[in-house]
Amino acid sequence: MDLLKSIFKGDKVIWIIFLFLCLISITEVFSAASTLTYKSGDHWGPITQHSILLMVGAVIVILVHNIPYKWFQVFPVFLLPLSIGLLAFVMLMGFATGDRVNGAARWMTFMGIQFQPSEIAKMAVVIVTAFILSKGQDEDGASPKAFKRIMIITCVVCGLILPENYSTGMLLFGTVYLMMFIGRIPARKLLILGGSILAFAVVFVTFLLATPNDTLEKIPMGHRFTTVKSRIADFTNKEKVPAAKFDIDGDGQVAHARIAVATSNVVGKGPGNSVQRDFLSQAFSDFIYAIIVEELGLVGGVIVVFLYVCLLVRVGRIAKKCDRTFPAFLIIGIALLLVTQALFNMMVAVGLAPVTGQPLPLISKGGTSTFINCAYIGMILSVSRYTARLDEQKTQEALAMPALTKAGNTESPAQPQSNDAQTAADPTAKVLNSDAEFE
């Protein structure tokens, strides 16, 4: 028992949520990966690979949650320029070679390993946003320079992501926007920014719908315009079509996902009994929530939603215990990123949003996204360890106060010494501890 406590440190609720999401992932990916099994001819291959990825992810959680939260501020120093360089490289290679997956250049291969630079970029932007907000706090809120710096970095990164992956770029920008709202950026600036983005979105969508596909394909950097247009048009077209005339093959993914949800019931068909998994090419990724509902029913679907809501609420409670702004902003940003992505995935599966191509965090089959999401959980647990130490210090001070009062000592009790790797005399430690107090 002591060995488990020494390995799995941090908030127990976060660990339980992570465990349940992994168990659901293994069960549903095993069922949903039937198309991969058919193509490879190996029944156990896809789930074995996914289980190994999750085990590596669990190791990443353990390693990251042992890192003092202060050192996460250093990550963007190398992650930000690396991700910008990789995003630019992937985009340029897509134009130079025309090598794209599903019409988009999002992947790159290094030493036989495929990964998405956008996942690294999302982590870098969330961390650097939390860092800038924490350093720019004063009595009246965040400083004007904080807003300017955040927008420059976010626009550069999102500008490189958007041409190949509109949904990821919008998701990241939305997360940063919410972080700035929580980080006390002036409401006037946020309203102007939000209004400008909304106006641009309306003009952009109107332009797409009104322009012929042949013209859209000739626009520089517009190779994804026709795809975006078709997804928006399919989602907004609510005209009823008789079942006999409905083109289920042409509508593909969305139609089969809705059939999976519609043919379920309260308890579902049972794990492994999905029918629509054989017709959904991305049943193990983008549309895995539809398979979850089909097999586990309304109960299973609600449980998955409940787990993500619990993650967000729990992170909020951990953030309230922080006495510094950086760890609070960091974990809130991470939770918002994970939960909003999960929300988009589930809305697509049940027909409440156009197809976005966003996987379900910690459940969908994946490589880069699984590792990065596990690193996010590790960061949350690292901050929870920090807040647990704060609670211990407060408890010790509360216990020491009566004894000091009886002894007639009117002086304040000495502060317990921090057992972090950095000391107060270390110049690096002074920089890492220079963020404002969290109120």
Side-chain angles (χ1 to χ4, degrees), residues 249-362:
D249 294 323
D251 205 26
Q253 302 266 51
V254 176
H256 288 291
R258 292 181 182 179
I259 291 172
V261 174
T263 56
S264 181
N265 49 50
V266 177
V267 295
K269 299 175 181 177
N273 294 323
S274 170
V275 175
Q276 300 306 315
R277 63 186 177 182
D278 297 327
F279 303 97
L280 283 163
S281 61
Q282 297 296 321
F284 51 84
S285 179
D286 300 348
F287 289 92
I288 195 168
Y289 187 70
I291 305 302
I292 291 173
V293 175
E294 184 183 12
E295 295 189 347
L296 304 181
L298 181 62
V299 173
V302 170
I303 288 174
V304 171
V305 174
F306 178 73
L307 289 173
Y308 286 112
V309 172
C310 283
L311 176 65
L312 184 62
V313 172
R314 193 65 182 180
V315 166
R317 291 185 177 181
I318 295 171
K320 287 182 67 175
K321 295 180 181 179
C322 293
D323 65 343
R324 296 282 168 181
T325 51
F326 173 72
F329 291 150
L330 174 64
I331 63 174
I332 288 173
I334 289 172
L336 289 171
L337 184 66
L338 292 174
V339 174
T340 51
Q341 182 175 326
L343 181 64
F344 272 113
N345 178 280
M346 292 184 283
M347 289 175 67
V348 169
V350 299
L352 295 178
V355 177
T356 60
Q358 291 296 325
L360 193 58
L362 297 170

Side-chain angles (χ1 to χ4, degrees), residues 224-260:
R224 295 283 296 169
F225 283 176
T226 54
T227 302
V228 176
K229 176 183 176 179
S230 64
R231 289 178 175 178
I232 295 173
D234 291 342
F235 178 71
T236 55
N237 184 14
K238 300 299 183 180
E239 182 180 353
K240 294 183 179 180
V241 180
K245 296 183 179 180
F246 187 79
D247 185 10
I248 194 170
D249 294 323
D251 205 26
Q253 302 266 51
V254 176
H256 288 291
R258 292 181 182 179
I259 291 172

Side-chain angles (χ1 to χ4, degrees), residues 105 125 131 137 159 240 320 389 428:
V125 170
F131 177 79
Q137 294 293 313
K240 294 183 179 180
K320 287 182 67 175
R389 287 198 298 270
T428 305

Side-chain angles (χ1 to χ4, degrees), residues 343-402:
L343 181 64
F344 272 113
N345 178 280
M346 292 184 283
M347 289 175 67
V348 169
V350 299
L352 295 178
V355 177
T356 60
Q358 291 296 325
L360 193 58
L362 297 170
I363 292 182
S364 292
K365 187 179 185 297
T368 316
S369 60
T370 298
F371 295 155
I372 296 296
N373 290 335
C374 287
Y376 288 147
I377 297 297
M379 291 179 181
I380 294 172
L381 289 168
S382 174
V383 174
S384 73
R385 290 180 58 210
Y386 165 70
T387 57
R389 287 198 298 270
L390 290 178
D391 288 341
E392 290 178 4
Q393 290 178 3
K394 291 178 181 178
T395 302
Q396 291 174 2
E397 291 174 5
L399 293 174
M401 188 63 69

Side-chain angles (χ1 to χ4, degrees), residues 19-32:
L19 175 63
F20 272 103
L21 289 174
C22 288
L23 290 175
I24 294 171
S25 177
I26 292 173
T27 303
E28 293 306 312
V29 168
F30 183 47
S31 175

Side-chain angles (χ1 to χ4, degrees), residues 19-277:
L19 175 63
F20 272 103
L21 289 174
C22 288
L23 290 175
I24 294 171
S25 177
I26 292 173
T27 303
E28 293 306 312
V29 168
F30 183 47
S31 175
S34 60
T35 54
L36 296 179
T37 300
Y38 177 78
K39 292 177 181 178
S40 64
D42 186 355
H43 182 69
W44 292 100
I47 190 59
T48 300
Q49 181 190 38
H50 182 62
S51 298
I52 291 173
L53 291 175
L54 284 178
M55 286 189 286
V56 174
V59 173
I60 292 174
V61 173
I62 293 172
L63 292 176
V64 173
H65 96 301
N66 279 291
I67 301 174
Y69 84 86
K70 301 181 184 76
W71 292 103
F72 296 144
Q73 299 173 79
V74 183
F75 284 18
V77 173
F78 56 90
L79 283 182
L80 193 59
L82 174 65
S83 60
I84 290 175
L86 292 178
L87 286 170
F89 176 77
V90 169
M91 185 172 63
L92 291 174
M93 288 301 293
F95 284 104
T97 65
D99 185 17
R100 294 187 172 98
V101 178
N102 295 328
R106 303 172 185 173
W107 299 82
M108 69 178 300
T109 304
F110 179 73
M111 298 179 64
I113 301 174
Q114 266 195 338
F115 66 95
Q116 292 190 63
S118 60
E119 294 294 334
I120 302 173
K122 288 195 295 185
M123 173 181 282
V125 170
V126 169
I127 297 176
V128 79
T129 300
F131 177 79
I132 294 172
L133 286 173
S134 66
K135 301 300 180 186
Q137 294 293 313
D138 54 34
E139 294 181 358
D140 300 323
S143 66
K145 290 183 179 179
F147 177 77
K148 182 179 179 180
R149 291 169 181 168
I150 290 171
M151 288 309 303
I152 290 173
I153 294 171
T154 304
C155 288
V156 169
V157 174
C158 289
L160 292 171
I161 294 176
L162 278 172
E164 306 296 340
N165 196 337
Y166 285 90
S167 59
T168 298
M170 291 187 294
L171 176 68
L172 178 58
F173 196 95
T175 301
V176 172
Y177 188 90
L178 292 174
M179 289 181 69
M180 289 192 294
F181 175 77
I182 296 171
R184 302 196 302 170
I185 293 291
R188 180 174 172 273
K189 291 186 177 181
L190 293 178
L191 287 173
I192 293 174
L193 176 62
S196 301
I197 294 172
L198 182 61
F200 176 79
V202 171
V203 173
F204 179 67
V205 171
T206 304
F207 167 75
L208 289 181
L209 297 177
T211 307
N213 289 346
D214 293 340
T215 305
L216 290 176
E217 291 174 355
K218 296 177 183 178
I219 299 175
M221 307 288 287
H223 56 281
R224 295 283 296 169
F225 283 176
T226 54
T227 302
V228 176
K229 176 183 176 179
S230 64
R231 289 178 175 178
I232 295 173
D234 291 342
F235 178 71
T236 55
N237 184 14
K238 300 299 183 180
E239 182 180 353
K240 294 183 179 180
V241 180
K245 296 183 179 180
F246 187 79
D247 185 10
I248 194 170
D249 294 323
D251 205 26
Q253 302 266 51
V254 176
H256 288 291
R258 292 181 182 179
I259 291 172
V261 174
T263 56
S264 181
N265 49 50
V266 177
V267 295
K269 299 175 181 177
N273 294 323
S274 170
V275 175
Q276 300 306 315
R277 63 186 177 182

